[in-house]
Amino acid sequence: MTHRPYPNVDRALRQLDRHAHPVEVPEWRVKMAADVRRALAAAAEALEPLARTSRFTDREWDQAAESPFWQQGLKAG
């Protein structure tokens, strides 16, 4: 069967609307999505220093190893 365009656009849109059933999203799902967005934002913020150190060059690693924070961590470990 060949494609035959609708002669009346309004009629075609009404026919499509008959088959579209809006889905009501439960409130708990909306809240869960907001919680997930907040958790992902917090995780990105918490993991940012790790991501930054993974891009260190050898010279930056050497400088970091000389810092007092690093030395303190070595003593505690």
Side-chain angles (χ1 to χ4, degrees), residues 8-76:
N8 185 340
V9 175
D10 293 329
R11 179 176 174 257
L13 291 174
R14 281 195 310 273
Q15 185 175 3
L16 288 173
D17 284 342
R18 279 198 303 261
H19 301 290
H21 303 288
V23 177
E24 191 172 320
V25 180
E27 186 179 343
W28 65 267
R29 188 171 277 185
V30 174
K31 288 180 180 179
M32 184 173 60
D35 290 344
V36 167
R37 278 194 293 279
R38 281 194 301 274
L40 288 174
E45 187 177 329
L47 294 175
E48 194 275 328
L50 293 174
R52 189 179 27 185
T53 58
S54 70
R55 296 186 299 265
F56 272 10
T57 62
D58 288 340
R59 188 180 64 211
E60 290 171 325
W61 275 114
D62 292 339
Q63 289 173 351
E66 295 169 0
S67 76
F69 297 111
W70 185 273
Q71 297 299 324
Q72 186 65 28
L74 289 176
K75 291 177 189 173

